[in-house]
Amino acid sequence: MLNMSPQNLNINSQNECNKSASEMLSDFILSEAKRLLLYSDKNIFEIAYSLFFKDNSHFTKYFKRLTGYTPSNYKKQ
């Protein structure tokens, strides 16, 4: 869609933002997950599905790896 290879995308994102393309995507997914957990009435399964995770457990592991909290614990805080 961007008419560039993954390598060129990564080089450009490193030059512009000092982050790899995958780090930028992770940051976006994590911020969206946090926003949905705090400000929506969706349950964790619905949030995982809306962020294109195939199952709830994968989303929970991903979220916990990046934040140190499970999505349900984050939502309670």
Side-chain angles (χ1 to χ4, degrees), residues 3 30 32 41 50 56 60 66 68 74:
N3 288 331
L30 186 61
E32 247 336 85
D41 293 333
S50 69
N56 186 26
T60 300
L66 294 176
Y74 184 82

Side-chain angles (χ1 to χ4, degrees), residues 4-63:
M4 68 172 62
S5 69
Q7 293 82 7
N8 284 338
L9 177 62
N10 203 35
I11 289 168
N12 287 333
S13 66
Q14 284 282 9
N15 290 339
E16 295 296 320
C17 302
N18 293 325
K19 290 183 177 183
S20 68
S22 64
E23 287 173 324
M24 291 177 67
L25 286 171
S26 287
D27 289 348
F28 175 77
I29 292 168
L30 186 61
S31 66
E32 247 336 85
K34 287 179 176 180
R35 184 184 67 79
L36 289 169
L37 285 166
L38 293 177
Y39 301 113
S40 76
D41 293 333
K42 293 181 177 182
N43 63 34
I44 294 170
F45 175 78
E46 292 170 323
I47 292 171
Y49 183 76
S50 69
L51 294 173
F52 302 102
F53 285 89
K54 292 188 181 203
D55 60 24
N56 186 26
S57 66
H58 185 254
F59 171 67
T60 300
K61 289 175 188 174
Y62 178 84
F63 192 88

